[in-house]
Amino acid sequence: MYVGIDYSTDVTNKYNQLATQLDALLIGESNRYANLSNASALLNQFFDRINWVGFYLMDINDLVLGPFQGLPACIRIPLGKGVCGTVAQNGTSLIVPDVQAFPGHIACDAASRSEIVVPLKIEGQIIGVLDIDSPELDRFNENDRVGLEQFVDVLIKHI
């Protein structure tokens, strides 16, 4: 059962608490979409200064919109296109301080200015990406990358 947490001000502890809360929230549920939905809702509560958080899932050679929190979004993103498609193709997390400076950025929401995308991998195979957008420039940093990769590692156990 979900219980609100007063996240620590220490960044590492904050992300450890988030990962622990995700694990507790998803324990006993095997439905991928339910778990991705709750994961996106938890991240939406956790982060301030964001305008979109959610998942894109692999569908042959495209990413397809999955569970999310925010305004309506692009439905399909080809592999190698935009930030999400680039991460799905390369398999490594990406922090984009200014999306307008990213070659081929796909603007689903004109208010988005920075972005972080983390791949979802099962046994080395990309199954999708976690995407978080912010209306602020340079919103995300290496601490966020490390913390979100930890979050995704926990999530993968439940999907």
Side-chain angles (χ1 to χ4, degrees), residues 37-97:
S37 295
N38 270 335
S40 64
L42 183 61
L43 286 169
N44 193 52
Q45 176 195 13
F46 176 78
F47 277 102
D48 59 356
R49 304 177 346 262
I50 65 168
N51 59 326
W52 200 91
V53 56
F55 299 93
Y56 280 92
L57 304 172
M58 287 300 303
D59 182 34
I60 305 173
N61 290 321
D62 289 334
L63 291 168
V64 153
L65 182 64
F68 71 94
Q69 302 276 311
L71 294 176
C74 302
I75 294 173
R76 286 192 177 269
I77 299 173
L79 281 181
K81 302 296 181 188
V83 182
C84 290
T86 299
V87 168
Q89 187 171 56
N90 297 341
T92 56
S93 299
L94 191 55
I95 298 169
V96 180

Side-chain angles (χ1 to χ4, degrees), residues 122-143:
I122 295 178
E123 297 176 4
Q125 180 83 20
I126 302 288
I127 64 156
V129 299
L130 165 62
D131 179 22
I132 306 176
D133 297 346
S134 173
E136 293 182 10
L137 289 171
D138 205 22
R139 165 65 182 84
F140 305 103
N141 59 42
E142 282 299 305
N143 291 327

